[in-house]
Amino acid sequence: MNVRRLVLPLVAVLLATGGCSLFTSRDAAAPAPVERTTLRVGVGGPIDTAPLRVATAAGKFREAGLNVTLVDLGTEDGLAKLAGGQLDVTFASDVSMFRAANAGTALQLQGEAYTSGSNTIALVTLPNSDYTEPTDKKSPKIAVDDLDDIGALTARSVLATAGVDPAKVHLVPQPFDRMPDALQAGEVDAALMVEPYITRAEKELGAQILADGSSGATLDFPASAYATTGAFARDNPRTLAVFRRVLMQAQQAAADPATVRDALPTFSDIDPTTAALISLGTYPTTLSAIRLQRVADLMHTSGLIPSRLDVQAMLPEEDQP
């Protein structure tokens, strides 16, 4: 039998019947294009948003097909600008996001930004202060940057852990850069500071840490995240999937503290010496409902929000169980 005569026709048949489906399957596997190629992203604190800023400057989003424009928020409310259509995605504290969501604002989380670490947030006093232990004062006056945000939540939690009645803690709103003056003037007993203000106060005034804010119920506490509106998320799922993918890669790169320390002076007023001394937290590489639920639950038990919030419902569909 001539085997070659049998094999050649068989090959021809296979090519004729399978070739079309082969190329068709390749075409079907081609990913759908993103809904839009530009994103306006609000950014806040330089330490919290360092990975995103570094990735944007390095063109990582552009390489993935997205033109990301960073909008520095300063003292402006990113969530308000998001609701007003001035931003597509915004950075904000987890506390402010969950407070808005509990009040009925539809938000979808796009990534965690920052988690506190040892002495990245702390109650600070000046040298020769008569407030040397958290329990020294039954009704301490504490400076916080916002009465309804993470500083206030942390201050009350840390003092409660130490044995101070949180209902007797008197919170005084002060911008971070005004807190040292408030301490020196005796307007407050301690200030709830974050980096780099802690390190600056230590360098310039000999400030001391009364209590580490990353302890007790707020140990390794999720601090901030990125979010968009529910409507924008529904209309742009593929665009946001690309954004999340590049953001997570940027967060992974920030696992090396030198990446953050070297970059901070290039886009903030943090000088190289301060950047080398500040305490750094961590940059999560996943969206964890379990981790974030800690924030929402503490907010509920502390009275910041009236009802328990289900954080899982705020995650993208791909992160739903």
Side-chain angles (χ1 to χ4, degrees), residues 96-160:
S96 61
M97 287 187 186
F98 295 160
R99 193 173 63 246
N102 194 257
T105 301
L107 294 173
Q108 186 186 90
L109 298 172
Q110 297 303 309
E112 294 183 54
Y114 193 60
T115 296
S116 68
S118 178
N119 294 329
T120 60
I121 181 169
L123 285 171
V124 175
T125 60
L126 295 183
N128 303 318
S129 169
D130 62 350
Y131 195 18
T132 58
E133 294 291 336
T135 54
D136 282 346
K137 296 180 182 290
K138 293 182 179 180
S139 183
K141 292 181 292 183
I142 308 296
V144 294
D145 66 313
D146 191 309
L147 295 177
D148 296 313
D149 213 328
I150 187 170
L153 184 69
T154 300
R156 284 199 175 100
S157 176
V158 168
L159 288 170

Side-chain angles (χ1 to χ4, degrees), residues 32-52:
V34 293
E35 299 85 1
R36 56 191 297 142
T37 58
T38 62
L39 281 179
R40 299 164 299 171
V41 181
V43 288
I47 294 175
D48 291 46
T49 60
L52 174 63

